[in-house]
Amino acid sequence: MSAHPIHDTAVLAGRSLKHVLRSPDTIITTAVMPIAFLLLFVYVFGGAIETGSTSYVDYLLPGILLITVASGVAYTSYRLFLDLQAGIDERFRSMPIVRAASLWAHVLTSLVANLVSVTVVVGVALLMGFRSSAGVGAWLAVLGILVLFTLALTWIAVVAGLSAKSVDGASAFSYPLIFLPFISSAFVPTDTMPGPVRWFAEHQPVTSIVNSIRALFAGQPPESDLWVALAWCVGILLVAFGAATLVQRRRVG
């Protein structure tokens, strides 16, 4: 067994990143839907939605960034499923490679690809008028939240990829994740929602994450929302990582 897990992970991550570089349409496709939502809601619905914010694109962007990540992690599950179907995982198992390295390689590839997609979406938002008074520290805090969120969803994608029986099944898990921001404070304030929907929106993870990013972009302290957001991200990450490890061990036997 290899005694160099970091080296093994780096080599396999390099392999995965090469696949992404050879098909940049993956990143483009990931960014297309969030950008379409951004254009639709800002230029079609934005004038009819009252958020209390001077710029609807400023209000909307945090939720769009989460949708970007949620749609992007589906490719991780898809690529992992294809690797398993092609027998690549069995080949790695016969080599002196740390067992978890192949999974971490997919996770790191997902993180890089999604951050690139997020950067593209932010660039489009800037062209549409998005402005932020956040300092360097606040931008780094936003980056940290997005990294944690991406890692958490990516490990969910790993579980889906390891458990799927078909290509469609490997990516279907992402649909509820993409839909979740619509029942949150991402598009409209939660106090405009009817009772049960408002309760759900205020107690699901997306709302606290969106509120934290929105406050940081505005140069304001996120207060308790930040700690709730971090707790959700870390909790989901730990549970998903544990589930992925368990599923992989069962596959190996």
Side-chain angles (χ1 to χ4, degrees):
M1 178 64 67
S2 170
H4 303 284
I6 295 178
H7 175 266
D8 293 346
T9 302
V11 171
L12 295 180
R15 166 187 169 270
S16 296
L17 285 170
K18 284 179 182 177
H19 285 293
V20 174
L21 291 174
R22 288 172 185 165
S23 55
D25 56 299
T26 298
I27 294 176
I28 295 171
T29 303
T30 299
V32 163
M33 183 177 66
I35 290 172
F37 281 144
L38 195 61
L39 294 170
L40 177 66
F41 277 86
V42 170
Y43 293 129
V44 178
F45 301 132
I49 298 176
E50 180 57 47
T51 64
S53 175
T54 55
S55 170
Y56 187 53
V57 68
D58 291 355
Y59 184 91
L60 185 65
L61 182 59
I64 295 298
L65 295 181
L66 299 196
I67 290 176
T68 304
V69 174
S71 59
V73 296
Y75 285 98
T76 300
S77 180
Y78 170 75
R79 286 190 292 263
L80 178 57
F81 177 79
L82 291 184
D83 275 359
L84 294 174
Q85 291 297 105
I88 293 177
D89 192 56
E90 282 76 8
R91 282 184 234 167
F92 288 158
R93 219 178 293 156
S94 65
M95 300 168 66
I97 295 175
V98 173
R99 180 187 300 174
S102 60
L103 297 187
W104 274 106
H106 282 287
V107 170
L108 294 177
T109 300
S110 170
L111 181 60
V112 172
N114 278 291
L115 289 179
V116 171
S117 297
V118 163
T119 301
V120 171
V121 173
V122 171
V124 172
L126 287 169
L127 293 176
M128 294 173 62
F130 168 72
R131 296 296 180 267
S132 171
S133 58
V136 175
W139 275 98
L140 290 175
V142 170
L143 176 62
I145 293 171
L146 290 174
V147 166
L148 266 180
F149 182 72
T150 303
L151 289 173
L153 293 199
T154 300
W155 279 107
I156 295 176
V158 169
V159 174
L162 291 172
S163 307
K165 304 298 182 185
S166 67
V167 171
D168 292 336
S171 57
F173 83 97
S174 65
Y175 300 148
L177 300 179
I178 295 172
F179 181 72
L180 205 55
F182 288 91
I183 314 177
S184 73
S185 63
F187 293 88
V188 295
T190 57
D191 55 15
T192 64
M193 303 175 183
V197 177
R198 177 179 178 178
W199 183 90
F200 176 80
E202 291 179 346
H203 293 86
Q204 58 118 322
V206 169
T207 291
S208 59
I209 298 171
V210 163
N211 289 347
S212 298
I213 295 175
R214 187 177 291 136
L216 289 166
F217 277 153
Q220 301 170 354
E223 300 177 348
S224 60
D225 279 321
L226 178 60
W227 299 110
V228 175
L230 292 176
W232 273 112
C233 288
V234 173
I236 294 171
L237 172 59
L238 292 176
V239 171
F241 174 75
T245 302
L246 182 62
V247 173
Q248 187 189 38
R249 285 176 180 172
R250 287 182 175 175
R251 285 185 61 89
V252 173

